[in-house]
Amino acid sequence: MRILLVEDERVLGDAVAEELRDELYAVDLARDGEGAAELMDINEYDAVVLDRQIPPPSGLELLSRWRQDGVATPVLMLTAQSSVDDRVGGLDAGADDYLAKPFQFSELKARLRSLLRRSPRSGAAWIRSGELSMDPARRLAKIAGNSLDLSAKEFSILECLAQKPGEVIPRQELVNQVWEEDLELQTNVLQVFIHRLRRKLAEHSDQALIETVKGVGYRFSG
């Protein structure tokens, strides 16, 4: 799953990004409203962690604009302002949840998991296709009842493919969904991860679950 984190406090932003990446999320980090708006325009996100007070446009302005434009991505708003009126203002602007600073990382991650279960891009709690079942919120995957030991990127690639069984997913779409915005990839990196993923799936299934569509991308055939 891919998260947009918008936080101008450099130390806090880097710490939150690291915590979320440790939870197997792909994280794009923006330091101001303008950068966040640009990222939202070109990428699809499963959730946004948005600081209320950032260089313009502010978190409230940005959120209001997204909602007016029909963006339904769940938003967890962060703020140093903890009054009831401040929380109400954020919720009225379109925030799905609110977390006051300072906070514990464990609470932030729990609130984010709750939002992701309601994300319009997450679908049902479990993704099921043939012998495969996945729980994106808890990062669990099973094939024919056997648990899969997947890395963060392997899980995200399989999730993207399994959400659209039988459809060809272009290589660039997979890269955009799985890797952070500012990460430069060598051309064969995705191929390497697909190879590892196929090997792990083959340990529990006789089917060739991931097909290569030459010159285009990959298809999940479970």
Side-chain angles (χ1 to χ4, degrees):
M1 288 188 173
R2 192 168 186 176
I3 309 297
L4 174 58
L5 169 63
V6 190
E7 173 58 68
D8 65 319
E9 295 181 37
R10 186 164 296 276
V11 173
L12 178 59
D14 290 344
V16 171
E18 182 178 356
E19 286 285 330
L20 295 181
R21 286 169 181 148
D22 286 344
E23 294 293 312
L24 310 185
Y25 301 116
V27 181
D28 291 339
L29 174 57
R31 304 289 187 182
D32 54 40
E34 184 177 351
E38 291 177 356
L39 288 172
M40 182 64 83
D41 284 343
I42 60 177
N43 298 307
E44 293 186 3
Y45 293 99
D46 295 284
V48 180
V49 179
L50 175 64
D51 186 24
R52 176 173 174 143
Q53 293 184 313
I54 53 176
S58 71
L60 279 180
E61 293 170 331
L62 197 58
L63 179 54
S64 295
R65 184 187 307 172
W66 285 339
R67 295 309 189 223
Q68 289 171 6
D69 291 342
V71 176
T73 307
V75 173
L76 171 60
M77 181 162 279
L78 307 179
T79 182
Q81 302 170 337
S82 57
S83 72
V84 172
D85 287 344
D86 290 326
R87 293 198 299 271
V88 170
L91 294 170
D92 283 345
D96 297 273
D97 199 359
Y98 220 85
L99 185 59
K101 299 178 180 178
F103 52 80
Q104 296 292 324
F105 287 133
S106 58
E107 182 179 5
L108 182 146
K109 288 184 284 189
R111 289 176 180 266
L112 184 57
R113 287 193 298 270
S114 178
L115 287 187
L116 288 169
R117 286 193 288 270
R118 307 198 299 269
S119 171
R121 296 186 64 228
S122 297
W126 284 80
I127 297 171
R128 302 183 190 277
S129 181
E131 295 181 320
L132 176 70
S133 58
M134 303 183 73
D135 182 353
R138 293 189 293 166
R139 315 301 282 177
L140 300 176
K142 295 182 179 181
I143 189 77
N146 299 292
S147 296
L148 294 170
D149 183 13
L150 303 178
S151 70
K153 300 309 181 191
E154 290 165 354
F155 188 98
S156 295
I157 291 169
L158 184 58
E159 179 187 358
C160 289
L161 292 170
Q163 284 178 329
K164 300 178 180 179
E167 295 186 29
V168 179
I169 309 300
R171 289 187 179 89
Q172 192 57 50
E173 182 177 335
L174 280 172
V175 170
N176 290 343
Q177 292 300 320
V178 174
W179 277 272
E180 289 84 4
E181 178 70 20
D182 59 353
L183 186 64
E184 294 185 5
L185 296 178
Q186 297 179 354
T187 56
N188 67 333
V189 168
L190 177 59
Q191 184 178 348
V192 170
F193 276 95
I194 290 287
H195 174 74
R196 293 176 182 172
L197 189 52
R198 281 173 169 154
R199 188 177 62 219
K200 292 182 179 182
L201 291 171
E203 293 176 0
H204 304 293
S205 177
D206 295 330
Q207 301 180 50
L209 296 175
I210 300 177
E211 301 175 5
T212 299
V213 180
K214 190 172 181 180
V216 182
Y218 300 93
R219 174 169 51 211
F220 186 78
S221 58

